[in-house]
Amino acid sequence: MNDISRRTLLKGCASVLCTSRCAQITAFTAPFFLSQSQEAKAWVMAALAVASTVASMIAANNAGDGGIGALLEANYKTLQEAVKKLDDIQSRLSEIYEKLEALPDEIDRLLRQETTRKLQVELMAVVRGYGEKLNARDPAQTDQQWRRDPVTQRDIANLLFRLQKARQEVNVQNLLDPSTALVATSLGYVEANLQNILGYRRYEIASTISTIYLPWLEAILDPNITNSTAGYTLAANNRLAALMSAAAINPVGASVGFRAGEQGTSVTLSPVEQSLLACVGINDYRPKKTDFDDMGDCINPKYTSVPAPGANSVASTGPDDPSGNSLTFLKNGHQLSTPEVMRLFGRTSSNFPPLGSLLTDPQVLANSDVEIAFSCNRVRGRVTSERIGAKDRLMSNVSLKEGELIEAGQPTGVLMLSLSKSEEQRGTAGGSGMVSDTSCELQTQDMVDANDRLSRMRAMGRWAEAEKNYSDLSLLVDQINLERGRIAYGGRAMLACEVTRQSLTKLVDDYA
């Protein structure tokens, strides 16, 4: 892999890593909630993020020469410190490999190689055995005496044999994935140290590095090799670009900050912490209605309009209509008595409205929920009053936040997206906290029951569509976070390999 393309890929990984100015994600203000998908997959990204953190530790440690210089300078104390750091790193690697083995996605199958796990276990055992030899050294011995001691030579030769055997199994299988890469970055230093103690000549050590480790690291860093760390990272980067594009064309995604680039440029993201997800409303309304076409003489009835005292209906008999005329008032299916009718209209028997006005004046019965059944001049019918009911509204907001993933109280340096939506907010048109009706889908329905209105609003097109778009975006955000985790892990593993490659190259030059 040439330096330019390597730098380009490493630079591309930086977009998912947090800078020093990046703030920790704070708790969402209630009542926002993460989707079940995000909660279920959070541990996967956490595992990848922790792995990427360990990769950074390795890169920092390998910026030197892995303790070889300390050995050449007979600086025993510095060598002990180098091996202790290596032991700490291998302990962390052992922990994260256990987590990586549990990753459910087939994409991460490369990270679950059993051979790599065995190599890492063997490497950790060798490093610890190496450390035990250093710690058990007789203080009375000089560095030279300790190195030439037959017991030291025997034990170190055994450690080297175990290390080379495990390494050869990995090389035969051509394992180049990020998990193997992190082991490879430490392996070369340890093998060179052991060879040094056993008295290998400089050109032999340089040859091991040049013919085994440098080609191995170059292959790990080659994006043209599908199963390489660079290939793994590049594939994750391509999937991320596709996911970002899908999020940008999702209506909810566009509302929370995903912006499609112009003329094929990449998608940009400026997270919006509160945006309207959906607003719907039902205007409860029932118009005045009669179920007959011609009221005939009922408009100017030939009878008195005074209610009959004590009767259960308002009835009267006109001189020209011996059969009589009658009015019956009903409310919610209940027939009203004369006193109830009087109270309803705020009238007395002396000023009770005539039948004609009850049938034709929309203001008389407006919002009274009263129906009139009448009989007049052989015309029978029913009048339903107009009702202007509640202007019911239902809305919900959506939020997208971006911040550094914190795992076990420690920052990982990896940026994570958190998509959430608020609880349903119900109110009346123009009420506190409600958006303008211009942002809502509205329907006018004869629907006096509040529960019926709620069910209807939840079934309205805009609400159902918004819920689906949110669900789709939630899955996209979940996958975006996973790809960011993969890029962070792969990118930092590449960085560790690049640092190691440069250090080992310098070491070969020094040995030559």
Side-chain angles (χ1 to χ4, degrees), residues 134-183:
L134 290 172
N135 294 332
R137 172 191 170 188
D138 185 350
Q141 287 183 313
T142 64
D143 290 338
Q144 194 75 0
Q145 289 172 333
W146 176 77
R147 291 171 62 180
R148 292 180 177 177
D149 186 286
V151 176
T152 300
Q153 290 286 304
R154 182 197 66 205
D155 293 345
I156 294 298
N158 181 55
L159 291 175
L160 180 60
F161 173 76
R162 292 170 58 186
L163 188 65
Q164 289 176 334
K165 183 175 183 295
R167 184 253 295 160
Q168 287 163 0
E169 290 181 7
V170 171
N171 291 148
V172 167
Q173 295 186 37
N174 193 33
L175 299 183
L176 307 170
D177 59 276
S179 297
T180 305
L182 295 185
V183 179

Side-chain angles (χ1 to χ4, degrees), residues 427-441:
T428 57
S432 175
M434 305 304 293
V435 297
S436 168
D437 275 357
T438 57
S439 301
C440 304
E441 178 189 359

Side-chain angles (χ1 to χ4, degrees), residues 318-488:
D320 298 330
D321 185 8
S323 64
N325 302 318
S326 70
L327 289 176
T328 301
F329 292 82
L330 304 115
K331 185 169 185 177
N332 298 327
H334 167 67
Q335 180 174 319
L336 301 181
S337 66
T338 299
E340 288 175 322
V341 173
M342 296 299 179
R343 287 195 298 270
L344 176 66
F345 291 98
R347 302 294 183 94
T348 65
S349 59
S350 61
N351 65 359
F352 195 80
L355 175 62
S357 66
L358 289 175
L359 298 181
T360 58
D361 185 354
Q363 299 303 315
V364 173
L365 297 177
N367 287 330
S368 62
D369 282 330
V370 169
E371 292 179 303
I372 304 175
F374 65 90
S375 173
C376 167
N377 292 345
R378 295 177 299 281
V379 176
R380 295 179 181 275
R382 184 179 292 258
V383 177
T384 302
S385 63
E386 178 187 47
R387 184 186 66 249
I388 303 174
K391 294 183 177 181
D392 213 346
R393 300 292 181 265
L394 185 68
M395 61 173 282
S396 179
N397 291 320
V398 62
S399 170
L400 182 68
K401 295 184 180 182
E402 183 177 49
E404 184 177 4
L405 176 63
I406 306 299
E407 175 64 17
Q410 298 298 317
T412 63
V414 180
L415 291 176
M416 177 181 180
L417 294 176
S418 296
L419 180 70
S420 57
K421 65 177 178 178
S422 68
E423 289 182 320
E424 295 177 351
Q425 183 176 346
R426 193 175 182 185
T428 57
S432 175
M434 305 304 293
V435 297
S436 168
D437 275 357
T438 57
S439 301
C440 304
E441 178 189 359
L442 303 177
Q443 292 183 4
T444 298
Q445 301 267 354
D446 180 1
M447 197 170 290
V448 67
D449 186 88
N451 291 328
D452 289 345
R453 291 198 301 272
L454 179 60
S455 296
R456 178 62 189 135
M457 287 189 290
R458 285 172 174 164
M460 288 173 67
R462 187 175 298 182
W463 190 268
E465 182 181 2
E467 287 289 322
K468 181 182 183 303
N469 289 334
Y470 175 84
S471 178
D472 292 344
L473 182 64
S474 181
L475 293 175
L476 289 172
V477 167
D478 179 35
Q479 291 300 316
I480 286 171
N481 283 334
L482 289 183
E483 299 303 346
R484 284 184 167 193
R486 290 171 180 135
I487 291 170

Side-chain angles (χ1 to χ4, degrees), residues 50 69 94 188 201 217 236 256 258 319 387 431 467 480:
V50 171
S94 182
R201 285 168 289 190
L217 293 171
V256 293
F258 289 94
R387 184 186 66 249
E467 287 289 322
I480 286 171

Side-chain angles (χ1 to χ4, degrees), residues 16-18 41-57 92-93 95-96 99-100 103 108 111 182 232 403-408 410-416 481-493:
V16 302
L17 300 178
C18 190
K41 291 286 188 177
W43 71 271
V44 179
M45 187 181 182
L48 293 166
V50 171
S52 72
T53 302
V54 176
S56 295
M57 291 171 54
R92 292 293 302 276
L93 273 179
E95 293 173 5
I96 67 169
K99 292 183 178 181
L100 293 178
L103 296 185
D108 300 311
L111 308 180
L182 295 185
Y232 173 90
E404 184 177 4
L405 176 63
I406 306 299
E407 175 64 17
Q410 298 298 317
T412 63
V414 180
L415 291 176
M416 177 181 180
N481 283 334
L482 289 183
E483 299 303 346
R484 284 184 167 193
R486 290 171 180 135
I487 291 170
Y489 182 32
R492 284 177 168 174

